[in-house]
Amino acid sequence: MNWLSFFGVSIVVLLIILYEWPKMEENQVKEKRLFIVLVFGTWVIAGMLIFFPDLPGPIDLITYLFSPMEDIIE
Amino acid sequence: METGKISASQLGCMMYPVVIATGIVIIPSITAKYAGQDMWLSPILASLMGILVIVVAIKLHKLYPGQTIMEYSVSIIGKVPGKLLGFIYLYFYLLMNAGGTRIYADFVTGAFFSETPLFVILATIMLVSSFAVRGGIEVVGRSAEMVVPVYALVLTILCLLLIPDLNPKNILPIMPDGLMPSIKGAYTPQSWFAEFFVIAFLLPYVKDVQKAGKWGMISWIFVVMGFMATNLSLLFLFGGELTDRFNYPLLDAVRYISIAEFLQHLESLVMAIWVAGTFIKLAVVHYALVIGTAQWLNLSNYKPLVFPLGFLTVLVSIWGISSEMEAANYSGTIFPSFSIVMQTCIPLILLGIGILRKRNNSG
């Protein structure tokens, strides 16, 4: 099941690349680099989340920072 | 980078669903939890935050015309701190959009598609919004112009149809415990009103920018009226005690509507406007995120970023929030605190420093 989800995510990533890559112009080197970094970054994150769903994420950081406010409100 | 332009009225149309689309479904229940039968007062208190951020965003744009917050934060506090602040803003808008997507998906799966996996709902709405963003700001603006009047009309009709079932006595006693419960109840909605600060990313692309303030205020008035109408209807229908027990009180209220046993099951209408409104909301915030990222990195084209960032948004929305309970806690107290810092305090500080800088330069 996990590998199936990972396969699905990989297809989504592939579709994004196939859709976007031909549309980019030759001289947009910076854009191309960033695009590759972003796509592979999200692909890795998605893979990690499929196999380790309890990984601490960006929301946990905010929850940690602002949880003292909760006591003030309650 | 962005060649398209929108009109000030389109800006107003775009901002309306940003605040109200996710707000109207979960806010009444959170407000009722703290404010009880004073829940009608909380949106009024919270809306003051809306005026504040609109004024601040427009003043900042007057100081640095043609620039978004990503650009003028560098001009105001210098290159390195400005870029750092820019990154925190991107982080904030990523989380905000992920939160919005999650609220939408929880509602859709919870109320209608209980068997559908969450990520299907998340991915489909994000895909549609991403296509709109990829088309540019004009596409987002025009879709908003098309959807928002229908949205407001349907919402009004639903509230009017509820009138026969309403019991205005539920509002009594007014403020039995003083103002404090309504202020606490306003804490969550204030972050929704503060989302008006997204205009800081959109103002440079407004054709008739001198009218932007006026249209921001018109949008604000409609948002306040929308919140007031729903909160009052829910209060008169269920009372303050009961509203807080529903996850999605507006939906349950609309299920009540039955006129002559002919006009009923109108919850599909709630669903329809909900999907349309969320589409606009996600598109506008996603646009802000994408254009902000492109400016942060000095790119010449933002379009390649649209789909990867959309994918990232979907990931963040399931990352770290495993249950609906946790999601409610996050949008109820954690996100509003983050929002106060990011959308109210920091812009105010930026405005203060910006004014001082300009004054020193000219004098």
Side-chain angles (χ1 to χ4, degrees):
Chain A
M1 190 58 204
N2 278 351
W3 285 104
L4 196 66
S5 312
F6 187 66
F7 181 69
V9 163
S10 308
I11 298 233
V12 171
V13 168
L14 200 68
L15 284 177
I16 293 178
I17 296 173
L18 285 179
Y19 181 81
E20 208 63 70
W21 195 258
K23 288 193 164 65
M24 277 190 276
E25 283 159 37
E26 275 297 306
N27 52 359
Q28 298 184 332
V29 185
K30 211 173 166 186
E31 282 79 0
K32 280 186 172 173
R33 272 191 209 145
L34 184 75
F35 178 73
I36 293 169
V37 169
L38 263 179
V39 164
F40 278 92
T42 45
W43 187 50
V44 170
I45 293 171
M48 287 198 312
L49 282 179
I50 288 168
F51 293 105
F52 312 100
D54 295 328
L55 219 64
I59 286 177
D60 292 296
L61 176 66
I62 296 309
T63 311
Y64 171 75
L65 282 177
F66 290 100
S67 50
M69 274 310 286
E70 225 173 315
D71 308 326
I72 299 172
I73 298 296
E74 291 295 326
Chain B
M1 175 160 38
E2 173 64 70
T3 46
K5 287 267 175 187
I6 53 169
S7 64
S9 60
Q10 282 172 333
L11 180 77
C13 284
M14 284 157 85
M15 291 320 296
Y16 176 79
V18 167
V19 183
I20 218 161
T22 45
I24 213 158
V25 178
I26 64 159
I27 289 279
S29 142
I30 299 175
T31 311
K33 186 172 135 202
Y34 296 110
Q37 72 271 37
D38 289 335
M39 62 187 271
W40 56 278
L41 201 61
S42 298
I44 301 178
L45 298 172
S47 65
L48 300 175
M49 199 63 113
I51 299 190
L52 179 71
V53 299
I54 294 176
V55 169
V56 169
I58 284 178
K59 290 241 153 149
L60 274 170
H61 186 255
K62 270 199 187 129
L63 282 182
Y64 296 93
Q67 295 187 4
T68 69
I69 182 160
M70 304 307 283
E71 291 162 317
Y72 58 64
S73 64
V74 173
S75 326
I76 291 175
I77 55 174
K79 184 142 175 101
V80 177
K83 286 285 176 192
L84 192 68
L85 184 66
F87 180 75
I88 301 174
Y89 265 105
L90 295 178
Y91 188 78
F92 174 77
Y93 280 104
L94 179 67
L95 286 197
M96 175 167 136
N97 217 20
T101 326
R102 181 55 185 257
I103 292 170
Y104 163 82
D106 276 340
F107 174 68
V108 172
T109 49
F112 293 94
F113 301 133
S114 45
E115 299 292 319
T116 314
L118 196 64
F119 71 86
V120 174
I121 314 279
L122 289 167
T124 43
I125 192 78
M126 204 62 226
L127 183 70
V128 184
S129 302
S130 297
F131 271 115
V133 174
R134 213 188 174 289
I137 196 168
E138 282 184 356
V139 174
V140 181
R142 282 181 197 173
S143 341
E145 215 173 17
M146 196 175 74
V147 166
V148 167
V150 182
Y151 189 103
L153 185 70
V154 171
L155 196 63
T156 317
I157 291 175
L158 289 177
C159 285
L160 289 178
L161 288 176
L162 273 171
I163 287 179
D165 296 314
L166 297 184
N167 172 21
K169 280 202 181 125
N170 282 340
I171 203 174
L172 298 170
I174 293 174
M175 292 195 264
D177 307 312
L179 256 177
M180 215 43 212
S182 4
I183 293 175
K184 278 185 177 177
Y187 189 65
T188 309
Q190 64 79 17
S191 66
W192 259 258
F193 276 100
E195 285 175 14
F196 269 113
F197 193 68
V198 178
I199 60 172
F201 287 86
L202 305 174
L203 283 174
Y205 311 111
V206 178
K207 249 182 296 182
D208 37 0
V209 76
Q210 66 283 1
K211 285 190 197 148
K214 191 183 100 190
W215 277 99
M217 284 302 158
I218 292 175
S219 180
W220 172 82
I221 289 170
F222 274 92
V223 171
V224 179
M225 283 184 354
F227 271 119
M228 283 296 287
T230 44
N231 274 13
L232 276 176
S233 314
L234 291 172
L235 179 64
F236 290 166
L237 188 63
F238 298 128
E241 296 279 304
L242 199 57
T243 307
D244 123 59
R245 296 208 202 126
F246 296 114
N247 276 338
Y248 310 111
L250 184 63
L251 189 73
D252 293 291
V254 171
R255 286 195 169 131
Y256 248 72
I257 298 176
S258 171
I259 309 270
E261 296 198 359
F262 168 69
L263 213 55
Q264 41 188 317
H265 287 293
L266 295 176
E267 62 263 28
S268 50
L269 269 182
V270 176
M271 182 64 154
I273 61 165
W274 171 241
V275 176
T278 311
F279 156 64
I280 303 293
K281 174 191 164 107
L282 296 182
V284 173
V285 182
H286 193 53
Y287 182 83
L289 174 68
V290 169
I291 201 100
T293 314
Q295 285 175 342
W296 190 65
L297 293 160
N298 298 326
L299 300 186
S300 57
N301 186 5
Y302 66 91
K303 287 184 176 167
L305 303 177
V306 174
F307 285 103
L309 283 177
F311 190 33
L312 187 63
T313 307
V314 172
L315 289 180
V316 171
S317 69
I318 33 181
W319 194 354
I321 295 181
S322 45
S323 66
E324 232 174 286
M325 277 292 292
E326 248 175 274
N329 177 37
Y330 170 72
S331 16
T333 48
I334 306 290
F335 176 75
S337 315
F338 194 21
S339 158
I340 282 202
V341 175
M342 294 306 296
Q343 304 197 96
T344 314
C345 298
I346 293 180
L348 273 175
I349 296 170
L350 280 181
L351 181 63
I353 300 175
I355 289 174
L356 286 179
R357 281 207 155 198
K358 290 268 156 163
R359 199 172 284 161
N360 285 354
N361 284 356
S362 59

